[in-house]
């Protein structure tokens, strides 16, 4: 290559070749790493402020500028000596201004020129200055047609070398190679090559400065030859490198690295020793022949694989997981009924039926240790102690306890595991719990079994069918383990808040034990005997430093918590302990004693008001009893009689069942109107309004039928209802009182409200045994078989009857 390739031709040499002596002036743009040729269309970005002004000046005149390439592209503010002396006049076709301040310009090269003078700087006070250049046109010498053979030879050489160049350059468009090869015009062929190939800008500048077209073609050929040498060398280096990588060198390098790492960690990579270790462990397991052969085959495969291969990691993880399962490890326990009873009584207050059923199960296992099939499911509202009962059962039986949370599980693979061929495969939750337990007879608590859902990945509740079936779980197959595992020795206990979401087949495999909400007295005893001690210990307090009397516990239960369980009660006691801890640490006192009067200062105003109750014998107002998920409540029922045409209005968010009970009450009242001195045509001359206070709270159920009928007869007859009587029960059209549920909670609500007489259905007499002893000794229960008994005990006797109300008198008119 010519040694003068980086030097521009001297201006005087080019001037001698020019035909036009006239000196012209145009705005000047200095280009960095870009060379424009006549006839070439290209775009570039312009950011330097002086040349942006020059571009603007060119646009304001005849859209023409002179483009000259810098010798060094890194120079930010070039001098005249930093520019080549041959450039091109360009016509500006388009200008786009980007938001970042860069101007994108599209130009077309027109004429080749020789720069005689370049002015790039001026006085900074001259705001109108822009870089410009004085130049003369530099005409080109056309091809000599007198010697066409030389021109044809050069052209053919260029096409041949370009063909090789295109083959070595994978990014070369096929259309460009075909165009160059078929082009007959040598100047056009030159333009196609130079315009589209990314030659070095110095090489392009040398081509631009050459006036003679024949010489220019020869220079192009030399440039292509040089480029071909570089491409061949690149290809040779790439092939050699690829060949070395494809051979054993890469594998050897990685193996050597792994070997060094293993030596540093003190790990052995002897495949024979590893296989022997696995084989000995497999032989010690009580497996059937098919399972043992499967594991031995996996161990043999592992010995033939490279230690660092991905498949080896999968097999090793699988064997480790299988061998970690408690195939023949059992916890040797001997159930002790008295010890179990002591544990249950110590950990839980109340729940007598639940404890009795658990003790029965323990007794059966005492007589028959291999007994299976007893799967208990505790169902009840949150916070009543379902999960803690499961932990107590494991403690009473002397078994390892593992809890499997099923809340939110919606993938069958969570229960049965994933196939080990999947990336990141692992056993299901059941087998994982068995591994953590370390024995094949633990107690596994399936928590929140009603919170599972299903989607396109399967139904996890269906996968539990095999787990909880004593006839099938003797050979439970996890998808990851792929071998039968005996789950029949496992004592499964499930918990749920509701039975509705649990599928019927799964429900059929479990024995349901319902845990109701705690009564007021039960909450008090739980708090006094368990929660206060627990929270004092949790907050670093002693019993002598913080005292919470009984009346404070009752005040918290009645005014600050309303729940089925005791979680909120425990949190509130914890709040008092924190208040006491702060006072003691601040030095305000050494002992804190809470009282019912000062409770407001620590917990704020009461969150719940006492139940609405009647303070005097009132006509048309009866104390009813209702059951809620957080316990029983006192629910007064009101009836108002007004002159009208027999319309009946219901308010208080009454449900459909309560509305039907109201209709039965009206019909029954019509049938006994004469007996209670009620006008027999009241249903045509009086409007009735039946209301249950706290209208924002929805109410429904049949047990308000007795209350509605009593209030209706009282309002129509004018006889007041005793304020110290509450009642509950369902009615029929003939006045029979039917049994109801939730008597335990309803009676507690009456006792808490100070009512000492409660009318209940006669068929509910056996339920009195479940009522708290405190309530049973303080409340007088009147069983009623018909409404006559209810009215006889609820209405004020006739001798004490007050005069008829104005509303009743109007109905007589």
């Amino acid at each position: 290559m010519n040694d003068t390739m980086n030097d521009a031709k001297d201006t005087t040499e080019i001037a001698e070749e020019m035909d036009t002596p006239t000196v012209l002036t145009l705005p000047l743009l200095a280009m960095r790493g870009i060379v424009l040729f006549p006839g070439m269309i290209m775009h570039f970005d312009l950011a330097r402020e002086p040349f942006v002004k020059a571009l603007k000046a060119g646009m304001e005149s005849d859209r023409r500028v002179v483009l000259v390439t810098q010798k060094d592209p890194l120079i930010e503010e070039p001098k005249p000596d930093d520019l080549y002396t041959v450039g091109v006049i360009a016509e500006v076709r388009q200008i786009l201004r980007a938001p970042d301040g860069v101007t994108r310009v599209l130009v077309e090269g027109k004429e080749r020129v020789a720069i005689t003078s370049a002015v790039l700087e001026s006085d900074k006070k001259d705001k109108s200055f822009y870089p410009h250049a004085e130049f003369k046109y530099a005409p080109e010498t056309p091809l000599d047609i007198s010697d066409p053979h030389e021109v044809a030879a050069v052209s053919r050489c260029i096409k041949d070398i370009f063909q090789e160049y295109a083959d070595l350059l994978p990014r070369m468009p096929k259309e460009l190679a075909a165009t160059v090869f078929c082009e007959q015009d040598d100047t056009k062929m030159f333009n196609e090559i130079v315009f589209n190939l990314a030659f070095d800008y110095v090489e392009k500048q040398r081509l631009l400065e050459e006036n003679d077209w024949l010489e220019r073609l020869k220079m192009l050929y030399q440039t292509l030859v040089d480029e071909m040498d570089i491409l061949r060398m690149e290809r040779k280096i790439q092939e050699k490198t690829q060949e070395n990588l494809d051979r054993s060198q890469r594998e050897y390098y990685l193996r050597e690295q792994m070997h060094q790492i293993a030596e540093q960690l003190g790990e052995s990579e002897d495949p024979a020793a590893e296989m022997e270790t696995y084989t000995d462990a497999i032989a010690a397991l009580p497996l059937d022949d098919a399972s043992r052969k499967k594991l031995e085959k996996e161990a043999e495969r592992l010995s033939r694989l490279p230690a660092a291969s991905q498949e080896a990691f999968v097999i090793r993880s699988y064997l480790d997981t299988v061998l970690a399962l408690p195939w023949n490890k059992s916890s040797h326990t001997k159930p002790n009924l008295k010890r179990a009873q002591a544990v249950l009584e110590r950990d839980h207050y109340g729940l007598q039926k639940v404890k009795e059923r658990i003790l029965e199960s323990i007794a059966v296992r005492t007589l028959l240790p291999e007994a299976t099939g007893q799967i208990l499911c505790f169902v009840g509202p949150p916070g009543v102690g379902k999960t803690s009962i499961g932990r107590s059962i494991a403690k009473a039986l002397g078994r390892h306890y593992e809890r499997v949370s099923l809340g939110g599980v919606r993938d069958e693979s969570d229960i049965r595991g994933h196939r080990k061929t999947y990336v990141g495969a692992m056993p299901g939750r059941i087998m994982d719990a068995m591994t953590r337990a370390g024995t094949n007879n633990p107690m596994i608590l399936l928590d929140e079994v009603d919170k599972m859902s299903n989607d396109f990945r399967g139904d996890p509740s269906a996968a539990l069918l095999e787990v909880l079936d004593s006839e099938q779980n003797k050979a439970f197959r996890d998808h990851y383990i792929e071998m039968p595992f005996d789950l029949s020795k496992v004592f499964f206990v499930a918990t749920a808040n509701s039975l509705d979401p649990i599928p019927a087949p799964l429900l059929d495999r479990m024995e349901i034990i319902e845990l109701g909400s705690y009564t007021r007295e039960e909450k008090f005893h739980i708090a006094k005997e368990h929660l206060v001690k627990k929270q004092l210990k949790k907050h670093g307090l002693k019993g002598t430093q913080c005292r919470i009397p009984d009346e404070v516990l009752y005040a918290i239960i009645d005014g600050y918590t309303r729940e089925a369980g005791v979680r909120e009660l425990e949190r509130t006691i914890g709040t008092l302990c924190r208040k006491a801890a702060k006072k003691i640490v601040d030095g305000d006192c050494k002992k804190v004693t809470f009282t019912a009067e000062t409770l407001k200062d620590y917990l704020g105003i009461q969150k719940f008001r006492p139940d609405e109750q009647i303070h005097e014998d009132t006509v048309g107002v009866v104390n009813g009893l209702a059951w809620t998920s957080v316990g029983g409540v006192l629910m007064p029922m009101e009836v108002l009689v007004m002159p009208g045409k027999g319309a009946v209005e219901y308010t208080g968010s009454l449900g459909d069942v309560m509305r039907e009970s109201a209709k039965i009450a009206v019909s029954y009242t019509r049938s006994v109107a004469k007996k209670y001195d009620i006008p027999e045509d009241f249903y045509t001359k009086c409007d009735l309004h039946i209301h249950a206070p706290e209208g924002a709270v929805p109410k429904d159920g049949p047990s308000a039928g007795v209350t509605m009928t009593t209030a209706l007869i009282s309002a129509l007859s004018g006889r007041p209802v005793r304020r110290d009587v509450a009642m509950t029960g369902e009615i029929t059209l003939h006045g029979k009182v039917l049994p109801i549920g939730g008597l335990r909670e309803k009676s507690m609500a009456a006792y808490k409200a100070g009512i000492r007489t409660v009318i209940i259905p006669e068929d509910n007499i056996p339920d009195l045994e479940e009522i708290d002893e405190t309530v049973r000794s303080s409340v007088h229960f009147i069983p009623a078989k018909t409404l006559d008994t209810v009215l006889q005990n609820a209405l004020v006797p006739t001798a004490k009857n007050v005069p008829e109300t104005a509303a009743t008198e109007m109905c007589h008119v």
Side-chain angles (χ1 to χ4, degrees):
M1 191 177 293
N2 195 338
D3 294 336
T4 60
M5 59 179 292
N6 291 321
D7 298 325
K9 285 191 174 183
D10 188 80
T11 307
T12 56
E13 295 177 3
I14 298 175
E16 292 175 358
E17 301 172 345
M18 293 187 300
D19 296 332
T20 306
T22 306
V23 177
L24 303 174
T25 302
L26 279 177
L28 172 67
L29 302 185
M31 310 301 291
R32 295 195 282 193
I34 297 176
V35 178
L36 181 68
F37 283 80
M40 179 188 294
I41 297 176
M42 73 172 185
H43 61 78
F44 57 90
D45 293 335
L46 194 64
R48 292 181 286 184
E49 186 61 29
F51 301 113
V52 173
K53 288 184 177 181
L55 177 66
K56 184 177 179 181
M59 290 295 294
E60 290 175 353
S61 58
D62 58 355
R63 305 177 68 90
R64 292 197 308 163
V65 293
V66 174
L67 269 58
V68 181
T69 305
Q70 293 182 195
K71 296 178 181 178
D72 186 357
L74 299 180
I75 297 177
E76 189 67 27
E77 297 180 2
K79 307 297 183 186
D81 292 337
D82 297 325
L83 303 179
Y84 288 110
T85 56
V86 176
V88 174
I89 296 177
E91 180 181 352
V92 182
R93 288 193 170 188
Q94 188 181 44
I95 296 177
L96 294 176
R97 290 179 176 83
D100 57 356
V102 176
T103 302
R104 173 153 289 194
V105 186
L106 179 67
V107 297
E108 179 182 2
K110 291 299 185 181
E111 296 287 338
R112 196 171 66 104
V113 296
I115 308 300
T116 58
S117 175
V119 181
L120 301 177
E121 295 180 327
S122 73
D123 187 356
K124 294 184 178 180
K125 296 181 180 180
D126 187 3
K127 302 292 185 180
S128 61
F129 172 79
Y130 58 87
H132 56 275
E134 295 181 356
F135 62 92
K136 296 180 180 180
Y137 288 104
E140 300 167 341
T141 304
L143 290 172
D144 188 5
I145 58 175
S146 62
D147 191 3
H149 298 292
E150 185 179 6
V151 175
V154 174
S155 176
R156 187 175 299 176
C157 290
I158 291 175
K159 290 181 179 180
D160 292 340
I161 196 69
F162 184 81
Q163 191 70 35
E164 292 183 46
Y165 183 88
D167 294 336
L168 288 176
L169 196 66
R171 298 186 300 271
M172 175 69 69
K174 295 182 179 179
E175 296 80 6
L176 177 59
T179 302
V180 171
F181 191 79
C182 298
E183 184 59 61
Q184 299 299 321
D185 189 337
D186 297 326
T187 58
K188 291 182 179 179
M189 177 190 67
F190 174 91
N191 290 340
E192 289 288 348
I193 295 175
V194 175
F195 290 5
N196 293 286
L197 294 187
F199 293 154
D200 185 76
Y201 76 95
V202 177
E203 292 292 335
K204 288 190 175 183
Q205 181 66 30
R206 289 180 62 247
L207 294 172
L208 178 66
E209 292 179 353
E210 180 56 53
N211 291 330
D212 191 293
W213 263 103
L214 183 57
E215 291 299 323
R216 188 180 292 180
L217 290 175
K218 292 178 180 179
M219 290 173 62
L220 176 60
Y221 174 75
Q222 184 61 46
T223 301
L224 289 172
V225 170
D226 295 339
E227 287 292 324
M228 278 296 300
D229 292 338
I230 296 173
L231 285 178
R232 289 193 188 98
M233 185 60 66
E234 287 180 352
R235 177 65 62 89
K236 187 176 180 180
I237 293 172
Q238 290 174 358
E239 290 176 353
K240 187 174 181 180
T241 304
Q242 188 65 38
E243 183 180 359
N244 291 337
L245 289 175
D246 289 343
R247 291 182 182 178
S248 60
Q249 183 176 356
R250 181 171 180 270
E251 184 177 356
Y252 172 80
Y253 175 73
L254 294 175
R255 284 181 181 276
E256 190 64 24
Q257 276 191 326
M258 294 300 298
H259 178 69
Q260 294 296 329
I261 293 173
E263 283 188 356
Q264 293 296 324
L265 295 176
E267 298 177 352
S268 173
E269 288 193 359
D270 186 1
E274 187 177 27
M275 179 183 175
E276 185 178 352
T277 302
Y278 280 123
T279 303
D280 293 343
I282 294 169
L285 296 180
L287 301 174
D288 58 87
D289 291 339
S291 299
R292 181 173 286 103
K293 287 180 180 179
K294 174 179 173 58
L295 293 180
E296 290 175 349
K297 185 178 178 180
E298 293 291 337
E300 185 181 355
R301 285 182 57 208
L302 179 63
S303 65
R304 296 196 303 265
L305 293 172
S309 65
Q310 181 63 34
E311 190 174 0
F313 283 124
V314 173
I315 296 176
R316 192 176 293 111
S317 176
Y318 169 72
L319 291 174
D320 290 341
T321 303
V322 172
L323 296 175
L325 286 172
W327 296 93
N328 56 351
K329 296 179 183 178
S330 301
S331 54
H332 300 286
T333 60
K334 186 177 181 181
N336 187 320
L337 198 62
K338 291 185 178 180
R339 176 177 175 272
Q341 186 172 4
V343 170
L344 292 174
E345 290 295 338
R346 184 184 71 239
D347 293 347
H348 299 275
Y349 178 85
L351 305 175
Q352 295 305 322
K353 278 193 172 183
V354 177
K355 293 177 182 176
E356 187 67 25
R357 176 61 186 86
I358 295 171
L359 293 175
E360 291 171 1
S361 176
I362 296 175
V364 172
R365 291 180 181 271
T366 304
L367 296 175
L368 189 65
E370 64 273 12
T372 60
Q374 297 182 352
I375 299 170
L376 307 180
C377 180
F378 299 126
V379 180
V384 296
K386 300 184 296 297
T387 304
S388 59
I389 286 177
R391 190 181 297 107
S392 298
I393 293 174
K395 191 187 303 181
L397 291 174
R399 296 185 178 223
H400 288 274
Y401 168 78
E402 287 298 331
R403 174 177 169 270
V404 177
S405 178
L406 299 178
V409 172
R410 59 181 182 220
D411 189 350
E412 177 194 358
S413 298
D414 277 355
I415 306 297
R416 300 188 67 95
H418 304 77
R419 299 287 181 189
K420 67 175 183 290
T421 53
Y422 296 132
V423 176
M426 62 182 68
R429 298 194 180 204
I430 302 299
M431 301 309 291
D432 182 60
M434 296 299 296
T435 303
R436 286 186 277 111
T439 62
N440 58 9
N441 62 341
M443 199 223 81
I444 294 182
L445 179 72
L446 303 176
D447 209 7
E448 307 292 354
V449 74
D450 59 328
K451 303 299 189 301
M452 292 185 296
S453 59
N454 56 67
D455 58 11
F456 64 93
R457 287 168 287 198
D459 187 357
S461 62
L464 277 180
L465 296 178
E466 182 182 359
V467 175
L468 300 182
D469 193 326
S470 58
E471 298 299 325
Q472 300 180 39
N473 62 11
K474 293 179 180 178
F476 174 72
R477 284 182 177 271
D478 185 274
H479 289 160
Y480 183 82
I481 305 299
E482 294 181 335
M483 290 189 302
F485 189 89
D486 187 6
L487 294 177
S488 60
K489 298 179 182 179
V490 180
F491 187 10
F492 287 104
V493 175
T495 69
N497 296 127
S498 173
L499 295 177
D500 296 336
I502 304 177
L506 183 60
L507 202 61
D508 184 59
R509 284 163 167 77
M510 302 183 292
E511 181 177 346
I512 306 302
I513 300 177
E514 294 191 5
L515 283 74
S517 58
Y518 288 122
T519 62
R520 180 174 182 260
E521 287 300 314
E522 287 176 334
K523 291 181 181 179
F524 167 74
H525 285 286
I526 292 171
K528 185 176 181 180
E529 298 173 17
H530 298 280
L531 302 183
V532 172
K533 297 177 183 178
K534 179 181 176 182
Q535 289 299 316
L536 287 176
K537 182 179 180 181
K538 185 177 179 180
H539 291 84
L541 297 172
K542 298 179 181 178
T544 56
Q545 293 177 303
C546 177
R547 185 170 176 271
I548 304 178
D550 295 353
E551 62 271 14
V552 174
L553 293 177
Y554 277 120
I556 294 174
I557 294 170
D558 295 337
Y560 292 93
T561 63
R562 182 163 292 180
E563 56 179 339
V566 291
R567 283 202 181 115
E568 187 63 31
L569 176 59
E570 183 177 3
R571 282 193 287 265
T572 306
I573 294 173
T575 301
L576 294 181
C577 291
R578 289 193 298 273
K579 302 287 186 183
K582 184 175 183 296
K583 279 182 169 291
I584 293 172
V585 173
D586 286 343
D588 297 342
C589 57
K590 295 183 178 180
K591 177 182 177 181
V592 178
T593 301
F594 297 97
T595 64
E597 292 75 19
T598 61
L599 197 59
K600 180 180 178 182
D601 300 334
Y602 298 99
L603 300 179
I605 61 173
Q606 288 190 1
K607 298 178 182 178
F608 305 102
R609 296 183 295 107
D611 291 337
E612 187 76 21
Q613 55 181 305
I614 307 167
H615 299 288
E616 60 181 7
D617 300 342
T618 309
V619 175
V621 182
V622 183
N623 286 318
L625 296 173
W627 178 92
T628 69
S629 61
V630 297
V633 294
L634 194 67
M635 185 179 70
M637 188 66 64
E638 301 177 349
V639 174
L640 185 65
V641 181
M642 302 165 290
K645 298 180 180 180
V648 181
E649 185 73 24
Y650 309 99
T651 56
S653 298
L654 304 184
D656 293 338
V657 177
M658 289 191 72
R659 288 173 179 267
E660 291 180 356
S661 297
K663 293 177 181 179
I664 295 174
V666 173
S667 298
Y668 177 78
T669 302
R670 290 176 59 185
S671 68
V672 298
K674 187 174 182 180
K675 180 178 179 181
Y676 294 95
D677 298 328
I678 298 173
E680 297 185 12
D681 58 349
F682 75 89
Y683 64 92
T684 61
K685 296 183 178 180
C686 297
D687 287 346
L688 303 176
H689 190 152
I690 301 174
H691 175 66
E694 292 194 33
V697 180
K699 311 169 191 71
D700 203 4
S703 62
V706 168
T707 310
M708 286 185 179
T709 307
T710 304
L712 188 60
I713 292 177
S714 170
L716 290 170
S717 65
R719 295 176 61 179
V721 181
R722 291 171 54 186
R723 66 180 180 277
D724 60 342
V725 173
M727 61 187 68
T728 181
E730 183 181 355
I731 61 167
T732 66
L733 282 172
H734 293 86
K736 185 178 180 181
V737 180
L738 300 180
I740 47 82
L743 182 62
R744 179 167 162 268
E745 289 81 4
K746 293 177 180 179
S747 61
M748 176 58 72
Y751 168 75
K752 190 170 65 172
I755 294 176
R756 296 296 177 259
T757 302
V758 176
I759 301 174
I760 63 173
E762 188 177 66
D763 292 339
N764 282 112
I765 292 178
D767 296 333
L768 293 175
E769 297 180 4
E770 300 180 4
I771 295 176
D772 191 276
E773 183 62 32
T774 305
V775 178
R776 197 185 314 166
S777 61
S778 302
V779 177
H780 173 54
F781 292 94
I782 301 176
K785 190 172 185 178
T786 64
L787 273 168
D788 290 338
T789 305
V790 176
L791 296 171
Q792 183 180 352
N793 289 278
L795 297 178
V796 175
T798 308
K800 298 181 181 179
N801 190 19
V802 297
E804 293 181 333
T805 62
T808 308
E809 291 176 355
M810 285 188 288
C811 288
H812 279 289
V813 177

